[in-house]
Amino acid sequence: MEQVDTLIIGAGASGLFCAFHLANFGKSVLVLDHANKAGKKILMSGGGRCNFINRQVQTHHFVSQNPHFVKSALSRYGSEDFIALVERHRIGYHEREHGQLFCDDSAKDIVKMLLDECQAAKATIALNTAIEQIIPSDSGFVIRTKHKKDNRSASIAAKSLVIATGGLSIPTLGATGFGYQVATQFGHTIIPTSAGLVPFTFTDKLGEMIKSLSGLSIDVIAYNNRASFQLPMLFTHRGLSGPAMLQLSNHWQLGEIITINLLPTLDAGEYLLKQKTKQPKQLLRTALAGILPKKLIAALENHLWQQHKDTELANLKNDTLRQLGNTLNAWHIKPSGTEGYRVAEVTKGGVDTRQVSGKTMESRLQPNLYFIGEVLDVTGWLGGYNFAWSWASGYVCAESI
Ligand code: FDA
């Protein structure tokens, strides 16, 4: 039977990162993945340019039932460490708004960097390998596998086992719930999962109105009672997307209302009252023409103030104008759901971090079993934070094995 010090399941961001660090620390390492390619999600990330880190990574950029869990790992492996690695590999990169760092050329550069590091450190990667069974043993674990191409079965003995199988987002890129299954096998609790960093969907008249604006993007403040984001919002043929919506989706639960300030730099009620004094014969749509896109005004007119459509401002009560202004500054809408795991960038929820050490990523229930990356109940904001978590959790795990 093949024997290794550490077996890692999942050749994605966290698994590959953990693998070469472990091998550099002198351990024999085998990474198994059922997919035919390593790092598939990295290749798709950041629109093909991989937003590989953010310059400012702090605890508040993560959503978890146990918000302090990320502190230790993030303090031991930070943005500057990863940037130094990228620079050592001479990968060109640039900074976009809010400290997001992207490759100049391609996300392929990040995957190549990880694979080159694994090769140099002599960490072995075996793809197309299904994991059939994990059996705890006196000296660690025995992992039974089957090769997907030739159906060959094998057993591998490992002193420690790292689960780096990610979340449920985008099954076509190899995502499965396998990590949760393993966690459950060893008595771990799973915080219920849902799609994160994902567009919202809407039904009925609201859904039709949103669809009719497909392609339009405006700056908004999108918020609920847990989080607020001033970012662009995009109308699509399926619902509302863009950074503001993706960010808010991390803090949203099915059935909740979200609020959108369509005019974040203006008190819309005050503005309409001033317009009434200045040009009382104006219609609402004319008054708003300079501050909102025409297409949006036309859609809102049918949706929010149909009865006042042809009324001059002079004939509208001040209270009515203030109310309309309030609606533009705080448009309450109820999504019917999200576009789900099919398109979500991340999975909220996962392995309960209260049963995992934040210093080592080791299970508190099963010695020598580790969980890293997105399989844990740690979800980063949009902007390179999810990779930041994959790198940091992978690193501290390697350091502690
Ligand atoms: P990851 O998903 O990377 O790897 C898991 C691996 O486990 C995969 O290789 C999979 O095949 C394997 N696996 C799963 N089940 C298995 C099983 N049963 N047996 C064997 N192997 C199995 N983040 C960010 O910070 N910046 C960005 O720009 C983006 N962009 C982005 C775009 C898109 C389209 C998506 C879907 C996601 C992003 N993300 C992102 C999120 C980021 O990709 C994600 O958080 C990390 O890849 C998570 O790393 P992990 O190693 O935890 O899982």
Side-chain angles (χ1 to χ4, degrees):
M1 182 165 28
E2 186 181 351
Q3 306 218 345
V4 290
D5 291 329
T6 305
L7 190 134
I8 300 176
I9 305 179
S14 63
L16 294 174
F17 201 69
C18 183
F20 74 78
H21 281 104
L22 262 172
N24 282 334
F25 294 142
K27 299 285 192 304
S28 60
V29 184
L30 174 62
V31 189
L32 301 180
D33 202 297
H34 68 156
N36 58 356
K37 220 186 218 176
K40 278 192 179 179
K41 261 190 203 166
I42 306 174
L43 294 172
M44 291 289 291
S45 68
R49 289 248 164 90
C50 185
N51 177 196
F52 55 80
I53 200 99
N54 196 291
R55 275 205 194 278
Q56 290 286 327
V57 180
Q58 284 162 3
T59 314
H60 76 268
H61 294 121
F62 297 87
V63 182
S64 170
Q65 297 243 326
N66 178 16
H68 297 298
F69 179 77
V70 297
K71 260 188 187 163
S72 172
L74 293 177
S75 70
R76 282 152 60 205
Y77 193 90
S79 315
E80 57 299 338
D81 298 309
F82 195 79
I83 294 167
L85 179 66
V86 165
E87 287 178 355
R88 271 206 304 284
H89 281 259
R90 298 180 189 283
I91 297 173
Y93 67 91
H94 59 275
E95 184 167 340
R96 297 192 193 160
E97 65 280 10
H98 312 294
Q100 306 171 85
L101 301 186
F102 286 78
C103 295
D104 285 345
D105 289 336
S106 166
K108 285 181 193 162
D109 293 341
I110 298 294
V111 175
K112 183 176 181 306
M113 175 185 85
L114 298 172
L115 294 178
D116 285 353
E117 288 284 344
C118 282
Q119 198 180 13
K122 298 198 169 48
T124 310
I125 300 165
L127 301 172
N128 293 306
T129 306
I131 317 300
E132 304 247 284
Q133 209 180 357
I134 296 172
I135 308 154
S137 70
D138 289 346
S139 51
F141 303 88
V142 172
I143 294 92
R144 298 238 162 92
T145 66
K146 190 174 261 182
H147 198 269
K148 284 171 98 177
K149 289 206 164 148
D150 58 16
N151 272 336
R152 228 175 343 110
S153 295
S155 291
I156 305 150
K159 289 182 199 150
S160 46
L161 176 64
V162 181
I163 305 301
T165 44
L168 294 166
S169 310
I170 320 218
T172 50
L173 292 178
T176 70
F178 181 77
Y180 311 134
Q181 234 172 280
V182 179
T184 310
Q185 179 187 338
F186 291 100
H188 280 265
T189 307
I190 306 299
I191 304 293
T193 60
S194 59
L197 297 182
V198 64
F200 289 111
T201 54
F202 299 85
T203 49
D204 305 328
K205 278 193 179 153
L206 177 60
E208 289 307 313
M209 176 218 152
I210 289 169
K211 259 184 223 167
S212 75
L213 295 168
S214 177
L216 181 71
S217 172
I218 55 168
D219 282 336
V220 300
I221 301 175
Y223 60 98
N224 62 13
N225 52 17
R226 289 186 291 279
S228 171
F229 298 96
Q230 180 157 11
L231 287 165
M233 172 179 87
L234 176 68
F235 293 85
T236 77
H237 65 288
R238 289 178 184 276
L240 289 176
S241 185
M245 294 296 112
L246 299 185
Q247 293 280 35
L248 194 59
S249 72
N250 266 358
H251 305 266
W252 179 81
Q253 274 160 17
L254 191 64
E256 287 180 352
I257 283 174
I258 61 171
T259 306
I260 300 171
N261 183 346
L262 295 164
L263 288 164
T265 56
L266 197 79
D267 179 330
E270 283 302 308
Y271 172 84
L272 289 175
L273 290 177
K274 271 190 200 147
Q275 290 295 313
K276 181 177 174 179
T277 317
K278 265 199 211 157
Q279 289 178 293
K281 285 191 172 310
Q282 278 185 105
L283 298 178
L284 271 165
R285 63 174 167 271
T286 323
L288 292 168
I291 54 171
L292 280 175
K294 277 207 174 121
K295 215 174 149 186
L296 177 59
I297 298 170
L300 290 172
E301 183 173 77
N302 287 328
H303 196 70
L304 297 176
W305 65 86
Q306 179 114 41
Q307 71 276 31
H308 306 308
K309 212 170 143 193
D310 299 314
T311 316
E312 292 172 356
L313 293 187
N315 296 325
L316 286 171
K317 286 189 182 141
N318 286 359
D319 272 356
T320 307
L321 289 176
R322 266 195 215 101
Q323 246 174 38
L324 263 170
N326 286 346
T327 306
L328 295 173
N329 281 137
W331 187 33
H332 302 298
I333 51 176
K334 190 171 175 181
S336 56
T338 70
E339 287 194 42
Y341 295 121
R342 192 181 54 84
V343 296
E345 283 199 15
V346 285
T347 300
K348 290 188 284 177
V351 177
D352 190 339
T353 56
R354 288 166 287 211
Q355 295 166 337
V356 175
S357 158
K359 292 203 168 71
T360 64
M361 303 297 135
E362 187 176 14
S363 161
R364 294 193 194 280
L365 309 181
Q366 175 71 33
N368 304 313
L369 175 66
Y370 297 78
F371 295 94
I372 57 174
E374 205 184 307
V375 72
L376 287 160
D377 170 34
V378 173
T379 308
W381 285 17
L382 189 74
Y385 301 104
N386 285 293
F387 282 135
W389 175 244
S390 295
W391 316 139
S393 58
Y395 179 80
V396 298
C397 172
E399 208 180 36
S400 70
I401 288 179

